[in-house]
Amino acid sequence: MQQMQPARLFKSMLRIRRIEEALADRYAEQEMRCPMHLCIGQEAIAVGVCAALHPTDRVFSNHRAHGHYLAKGGNLNAMLAELYGRATGCCGGRGGSMHLIDLDVGFMGSTPIVGGTVPLAVGSAWASSLKQSDQVTVVFFGDGCFEEGVVHESLNFAALHKLPVLFVCENNDFSVYTRRNERQPDRPIYRLAEAHGMAAFSGNGNDVEEVLNISSEAIDNARLGRGPQFIEFRTYRWREHCGPNFDDDLNYRSTQEIESGMGDCPIASHAAELTLKDASFSRDIEKYEDEIRQEIAAAFEFALSSKKPTSEDACGKVYA
């Protein structure tokens, strides 16, 4: 496996952050007519896990999919066009933010049904096993998803057949507006996964190097036929559950808590580490910011200049 260099990890996280901030800024224009779940604050998990994958490996995601799609190499133009409901979108403009797909890079899809992509990922891994390929399948989900029965059925099946699948739980402590300690007994999620008969890990999801190291070990295990792997990463969601705003006005978490979560920024901490090792890295950051700014501007121009889908081509999007 050729691991991504620290500077590339930083740029990949920064790119996701700036893209989502641009989406948040433009969402109030009411041109993106779809619900949108941002992963701002959680970028290190998507980047660190995907950096450990081969290009031919497969990824499934959930309603909070932008970071996973981009980290796996998904086409930015097609993603923005999808959010604007344009025909050039990755789902032909009919899926919106929660239905992203880019088969060219192994991003197999995302859906808003909580837990819905977990059995799909197990099916993908089963196919790889039957074909005796070396593909590994990864599925990202949140701590709320772990309360779905289908997740545990999928873990059981994957363990029984020793499938090459990595389950990644992004534990941000909230299921919409309800804290985990109001929904689950006090017990580590990864220990429950371990009880299903698979190797299980936990780590700091705001440290991209730690995410990469743990993910590399787990993915290597899966690729070498050691069965399914499970990782629980702790992290924090900055923005509201659904939408572009901060939500301290909803009284389920305080302004001070959000500020504390933002103080553990995965991008700022990684930049500080790299700058400490090489002071000239601050100039690299400026270069990355400029490159990303230009890329985002071009992607918005592409999306907004694309045509909207028509009723005439609707039949081409129906599957039965």
Side-chain angles (χ1 to χ4, degrees):
M1 182 187 69
Q2 185 176 4
Q3 290 194 347
M4 190 179 288
Q5 296 298 314
R8 290 185 60 195
L9 293 172
F10 172 83
K11 185 178 180 182
S12 184
M13 289 193 295
L14 182 67
R15 179 173 178 261
I16 294 170
R17 174 73 59 86
R18 294 295 181 252
I19 290 168
E20 290 220 303
E21 288 174 340
L23 289 172
D25 289 344
R26 297 201 182 207
Y27 196 69
E29 298 170 355
Q30 296 292 311
E31 293 292 329
M32 288 177 266
R33 306 296 292 175
C34 61
M36 186 169 67
H37 302 73
L38 301 175
C39 69
I40 293 176
Q42 302 185 184
E43 298 90 347
I45 301 174
V47 170
V49 172
C50 289
L53 292 172
H54 292 174
T56 52
D57 290 334
R58 295 170 173 172
V59 167
F60 289 82
S61 181
N62 51 67
H63 55 281
R64 205 175 304 282
H66 301 166
H68 307 140
Y69 173 96
L70 294 166
K72 190 61 172 68
N75 185 290
L76 176 59
N77 284 355
M79 184 183 115
L80 293 194
E82 188 60 40
L83 268 64
Y84 278 103
R86 303 306 167 103
T88 54
C90 59
C91 279
R94 290 172 167 81
S97 168
M98 296 187 287
H99 297 91
L100 302 180
I101 186 169
D102 192 335
L103 298 181
D104 289 341
V105 297
F107 189 83
M108 307 305 291
S110 59
T111 73
I113 299 172
V114 177
T117 51
V118 178
L120 299 181
V122 170
S124 168
W126 197 15
S128 297
S129 178
L130 293 173
K131 293 176 181 176
Q132 297 183 329
S133 79
D134 70 345
Q135 276 181 326
V136 172
T137 299
V138 175
V139 58
F140 293 95
F141 53 88
D143 50 290
C145 179
F146 199 70
E147 294 153 24
E148 294 288 334
V150 70
V151 172
H152 294 275
E153 294 171 18
S154 299
L155 292 170
N156 177 74
F157 188 89
L160 177 66
H161 294 280
K162 299 188 184 307
L163 301 182
V165 56
L166 170 61
F167 301 96
V168 178
C169 178
E170 298 176 302
N171 182 358
N172 64 22
D173 202 41
F174 288 105
S175 178
V176 188
Y177 306 127
T178 307
R179 290 185 189 277
R180 195 163 69 89
N181 63 8
E182 298 176 72
R183 309 175 344 251
Q184 300 179 20
D186 183 18
R187 59 192 179 190
I189 286 176
Y190 76 99
R191 289 296 187 192
L192 286 178
E194 196 173 50
H196 280 286
M198 64 186 67
F201 308 80
S202 67
N204 179 3
N206 290 342
D207 183 331
V208 70
E209 296 274 7
E210 183 172 325
V211 172
L212 175 59
N213 291 335
I214 294 174
S215 301
S216 296
E217 181 179 351
I219 290 167
D220 285 348
N221 286 342
R223 204 182 306 282
L224 291 171
R226 296 170 183 157
Q229 312 283 306
F230 188 101
I231 311 176
E232 176 189 0
F233 285 122
R234 300 178 304 278
T235 186
Y236 194 76
R237 164 171 58 82
W238 292 14
R239 302 290 178 108
E240 59 190 326
H241 164 69
C242 180
N245 303 311
F246 293 97
D247 60 0
D248 47 317
D249 59 315
L250 298 181
N251 297 320
Y252 76 98
R253 58 180 181 172
S254 67
T255 302
Q256 292 75 20
E257 179 186 315
I258 295 174
E259 290 174 349
S260 176
M262 293 173 66
D264 189 20
C265 175
I267 298 174
S269 61
H270 194 52
E273 290 177 13
L274 296 179
T275 304
L276 188 63
K277 294 175 182 175
D278 181 359
S280 68
F281 186 69
S282 59
R283 292 197 296 274
D284 293 336
I285 295 175
E286 294 177 6
K287 183 182 69 173
Y288 297 154
E289 292 275 15
D290 186 56
E291 292 172 355
I292 292 167
R293 189 182 308 111
Q294 292 183 43
E295 182 192 11
I296 292 173
F300 272 103
E301 183 177 347
F302 170 84
L304 290 168
S305 63
S306 294
K307 294 181 179 178
K308 296 181 178 178
T310 64
S311 56
E312 285 74 22
D313 67 358
C315 291
K317 306 295 182 183
V318 176
Y319 297 90

